[in-house]
Amino acid sequence: QVQLVESGGGSVQAGGSLRLSCAASGRTSSNYPMGWFRQAPGKEREFVSAITRSGSATDYADSVKGRFTISRDNTKNTESLQMNSLKPEDTAVYYCVARARGGVTRAASWWDYWGQGTQVTVSS
């Protein structure tokens, strides 16, 4: 089992930045691909970004490409999501995820472990 705890959410004005962090504990998280999903009120959960076990490859949703940067530190069992040029449509609860087997995927159902979520609110 892997436990994931997010931090770093908050409120910011449009154009601002936030950095989300996720601390993993339990079974060695460096063995797992990790990523981020988000869910806005009344909307389905959507893929944001993912990173491979080694951190050598990343994937981004088109809506955040060029504005968000995912990274990980396997020595600390953490991953981060640097969010720049935030827009009101980025407002959502953001979830850290990890996958026990397989590679990165944009399908929410394939991720095995989920954090409790952290709220990000962007005002115009």
Side-chain angles (χ1 to χ4, degrees):
Q1 281 284 5
V2 173
Q3 292 76 45
L4 304 172
V5 179
E6 303 95 337
S7 62
S11 297
V12 65
Q13 289 190 330
S17 298
L18 283 173
R19 185 177 181 88
L20 304 183
S21 296
C22 176
S25 60
R27 295 186 65 179
T28 307
S29 64
S30 61
N31 291 332
Y32 305 141
M34 298 185 75
W36 294 90
F37 280 75
R38 67 186 182 186
Q39 187 167 22
K43 294 188 177 181
E44 293 186 355
R45 198 165 292 188
E46 66 172 351
F47 170 80
V48 175
S49 182
I51 188 167
T52 55
R53 294 174 179 82
S54 66
S56 61
T58 57
D59 189 23
Y60 296 94
D62 288 345
S63 60
V64 307
K65 196 172 295 183
R67 300 187 298 122
F68 291 10
T69 303
I70 191 171
S71 61
R72 67 187 296 163
D73 185 341
N74 288 340
T75 65
K76 298 180 179 178
N77 290 334
T78 60
E79 72 158 348
S80 297
L81 185 69
Q82 178 65 41
M83 305 185 296
N84 298 329
S85 301
L86 283 161
K87 304 175 181 180
E89 51 263 44
D90 294 318
T91 295
V93 176
Y94 283 70
Y95 297 90
C96 173
V97 297
R99 191 177 183 201
R101 284 174 293 275
V104 299
T105 174
R106 296 189 175 194
S109 60
W110 287 99
W111 293 89
D112 301 292
Y113 306 108
W114 292 74
Q116 82 287 353
T118 185
Q119 178 70 46
V120 171
T121 302
V122 184
S123 59
S124 57

